[in-house]
Each structure stands twice: as structure tokens, then as C-alpha cells.
Amino acid sequence: SQQGEEDPQALSIQEGENATMNCSYKTSINNLQWYRQNSGRGLVHLILIRSNEREKHSGRLRVTLDTSKKSSSLLITASRAADTASYFCATDAHGDYKLSFGAGTTVTVRA
Amino acid sequence: DTAVSQTPKYLVTQMGNDKSIKCEQNLGHDTMYWYKQDSKKFLKIMFSYNNKELIINETVPNRFSPKSPDKAHLNLHINSLELGDSAVYFCASSPTGTDEQFFGPGTRLTVL
């Protein structure tokens, strides 16, 4: 079964708005990662947050991690049309690089 | 200068056939993976190799056999293809000791 579950399944926003998506997982983790997948392409790594971290930033991305609630959020600020993609969270539970992915959130940014 | 490449990009074949998908990475990574993404976009790990040694082997039918001739290549051979094998297969790699994985563009397999 999938370790992570993203919410919402789909999100449609206007260019310039912020997009927030959440990921919940079931077991304790070593780290949590977010990936982006453009249509018909492979996944691209966005950001990794370790279990002892609470927040991380990378450009327009902000990731939070709440291990007590077993959840993470990804915020994309000032969205652009190029941000249209599916976003996946992936958890590494045992530090063995075996990632468990959720089903993803599909984000559509309207011009 | 593609980092992780896969061939072919599309593969259409009949049930019962045997097919292979090739993966190569030029990043110098020690670890390579195969993932299967189904029609609902669920991505599931199948295999992982570290320096040509199998380290992860999920519950995958024996019809699937990975082969790593060297640490830059990880091929996937599938025997007796079934309709349920239709999916997108992704190869990925990562440096040993780190967690970020680099994905190939995927191979869309359609079994008729």
C-alpha cells in the first residue's frame, strides 16, 4: 500500500496565486521528499526534509513537516503556468532509499 | 547530456511476448532503481541495485528480471507479458548515501 497520500487530488489556481498541497503518511520516517512530474515526463526532485526538520525553503517552494501528525505540506508561492504538473510526496521510512510515493496532486495553473 | 536515459520511450506489444527496457545513467551514481507507475499515477518501486548488486526486490512476479551489467546500466526484462503489465516504467538513480533520486523520462508499455 502507498505510504503517502496527497490532498487534494487536484488543484486549479490562477497564475500568481499560491498553491498548497498536503501529504499524510502512516509510519515514522527518515525523510520526506517532494517531486514534480510534468505530463509525459519523469519525476524531478524538488526538496527533501529530514525527520528532525520542521520547515525548508527552496526558491518559491516551502515545505513543512509535522512528525507528530505524520503530515507535510508543500506551498508554491506566486504560481506560474510552468508549475502545472503533478506533485508527489515520497517517504523514506528506514533510511534504505526505498521511497514510497503517494498518488500525487495534479496542479493546474491558469493564465 | 541526458542524465538518466531509457529506451524505448514507447513499447507496444502482444500478450505473451518478451521485451526489454534499457536504462543508462551518466551521473556516476552507484544506485539504480526501477519503478512502475500505473494508470492512476501510483508509483511503486520494483527493484534497486547498488554497484550491480540487487538490494531491493519488491513483490514482483518472476517474469520481471532486472540485469545490471555495470553500475551505469540497469535493464529490465519482462517475460510472457500480460495485460496488467501495461504501465509507465521509470528508471532512476541516486548517489550512495544520499536520498535524492534522478528519474529517467519513462517507458510507456502497452500490452495488447
Side-chain angles (χ1 to χ4, degrees), chain A residues 37-101:
Chain A
Q37 184 180 30
N38 291 89
S39 180
R41 301 286 189 93
L43 280 75
V44 174
H45 183 267
L46 295 176
I47 200 164
L48 180 152
I49 187 164
R50 300 200 182 277
S51 58
N52 61 353
E53 297 175 309
R54 291 296 165 258
E55 188 170 313
K56 226 170 170 182
H57 297 255
S58 176
R60 295 184 295 111
L61 305 180
R62 174 178 166 251
V63 167
T64 63
L65 179 64
D66 186 335
T67 52
S68 66
K69 293 181 180 177
K70 292 188 170 58
S71 68
S72 172
S73 68
L74 170 67
L75 167 68
I76 306 172
T77 59
S79 63
R80 305 167 181 168
D83 295 327
T84 294
S86 292
Y87 293 82
F88 295 85
C89 69
T91 54
D92 177 357
H94 306 292
D96 59 1
Y97 317 123
K98 184 174 145 182
L99 295 182
S100 294
F101 284 82

Side-chain angles (χ1 to χ4, degrees), chain B residues 9 18 26 40 53 65 69 72 102 104:
Chain B
K9 188 168 173 61
D18 303 338
N26 63 5
K40 295 185 179 177
E53 183 183 339
S65 54
F102 295 76

Side-chain angles (χ1 to χ4, degrees), chain A residues 33 35 37 50 86 97-98, chain B residues 37 41 58 97 99 101:
Chain A
Q33 304 177 45
Y35 286 80
Q37 184 180 30
R50 300 200 182 277
S86 292
Y97 317 123
K98 184 174 145 182
Chain B
Q37 186 175 45
K41 291 192 175 179
E58 288 298 278
D99 303 288
Q101 296 186 14

Side-chain angles (χ1 to χ4, degrees), chain B residues 11-19 81 83 109-112:
Chain B
L11 189 51
V12 181
T13 188
Q14 299 287 331
M15 247 186 344
N17 283 351
D18 303 338
K19 290 292 177 187
L81 278 155
L83 294 176
L109 171 65
T110 303
V111 182
L112 303 174

Side-chain angles (χ1 to χ4, degrees), chain B residues 18 21 28 44 48 59 78 84 93 95 102:
Chain B
D18 303 338
I21 306 171
K44 188 169 170 57
S48 174
T59 308
I78 315 169
S93 71
F102 295 76

Side-chain angles (χ1 to χ4, degrees), chain B residues 21 23 34 49 52 65-70 73-77:
Chain B
I21 306 171
C23 176
W34 276 111
Y49 272 72
K52 302 196 299 175
S65 54
K67 284 189 172 52
S68 182
D70 55 61
H73 296 84
L74 180 61
N75 304 323
L76 183 65
H77 188 77

